Amino acid sequence: ENYARLADKLSIYVGFLDHFELAFLDRRGYLNFDTLPRLLEVFDKVHGDYPHTFLGLEVDFYSDQSPLVAEFCEEYRKDFDYLIGTVHTIDGINVTTQEEFEILISRFGLPNIVERYFDEVEAAIESKLFDGMAHIDAVMRFVPLYSDSEKPRQFSLMKLLNFLTHP
């Protein structure tokens, strides 16, 4: 509510965005089906007092579970001003923590990780489930630690540019 009050005072819009990971609903402290109604209830009160506020949800996309993601988005879209897609995992292993990134490297090798990540981002975009995508280059966080080569970075930039210019 403090952010909304400040935004109102400054005459600016403010959006609130939380993560929702369908594959990891059992993680303690994460938003899940039990805590989602409370988030919506709290936001409704804030929005009632500060109408220049917006509520979004960052929803993880898993191409192997796209029907489940689509069902969730369809059911909850009405409760949010925007849904943002994101990709955090490859084969259920998180690309945004160094420990899990090392597991991915040992299993698939760096070039395959980068390619598979961007394939998943592309599938999320093509699904048309989301109003936008968050941190589409998250996989690049640890690449410099494991490669002096510019090839993974060049590949990711070329793949993104190609997709954005030829949707």
Side-chain angles (χ1 to χ4, degrees):
E1 190 170 346
N2 290 337
Y3 291 120
R5 187 178 306 112
L6 180 59
D8 188 59
K9 183 178 177 179
L10 297 172
S11 298
I12 61 173
Y13 295 90
V14 65
F16 297 93
L17 185 71
D18 205 339
H19 290 80
F20 197 85
E21 299 181 57
L22 286 164
F24 300 103
L25 292 174
D26 57 344
R27 286 186 180 170
R28 186 174 177 194
Y30 280 68
L31 190 61
N32 59 47
F33 287 112
D34 294 332
T35 58
L36 191 56
R38 177 73 179 136
L39 170 73
L40 295 171
E41 177 185 318
V42 168
F43 180 76
D44 281 346
K45 181 190 178 318
V46 170
H47 186 67
D49 295 338
Y50 304 98
H52 287 80
T53 56
F54 298 92
L55 183 62
L57 196 63
E58 182 177 320
V59 180
D60 269 48
F61 180 81
Y62 319 96
S63 59
D64 62 334
Q65 297 179 38
S66 60
L68 177 67
V69 177
E71 181 182 325
F72 174 82
C73 290
E74 185 177 316
E75 183 173 341
Y76 286 93
R77 178 166 294 285
K78 68 186 179 323
D79 297 318
F80 294 92
D81 297 302
Y82 50 93
L83 295 177
I84 303 297
T86 188
V87 174
H88 287 114
T89 63
I90 296 172
D91 285 357
I93 303 170
N94 197 324
V95 300
T96 63
T97 66
Q98 188 171 358
E99 182 179 302
E100 292 191 47
F101 196 79
E102 289 175 359
I103 293 169
L104 286 166
I105 287 176
S106 68
R107 287 192 188 168
F108 306 112
L110 186 59
N112 288 331
I113 295 168
V114 172
E115 184 166 359
R116 289 182 65 187
Y117 178 84
F118 284 106
D119 286 347
E120 196 75 356
V121 168
E122 191 172 323
I125 293 168
E126 289 175 343
S127 76
K128 298 189 184 327
L129 295 173
F130 309 109
D131 300 306
M133 291 294 294
H135 48 73
I136 58 176
D137 63 345
V139 73
M140 301 309 291
R141 176 181 287 175
F142 300 112
V143 166
L145 300 176
Y146 300 98
S147 175
D148 291 333
S149 170
E150 284 294 312
K151 284 185 179 179
R153 187 172 303 282
Q154 290 169 352
F155 171 80
S156 67
L157 290 173
M158 292 306 295
K159 192 155 178 74
L160 281 175
L161 286 172
N162 184 52
F163 185 77
L164 293 172
T165 56
H166 302 93

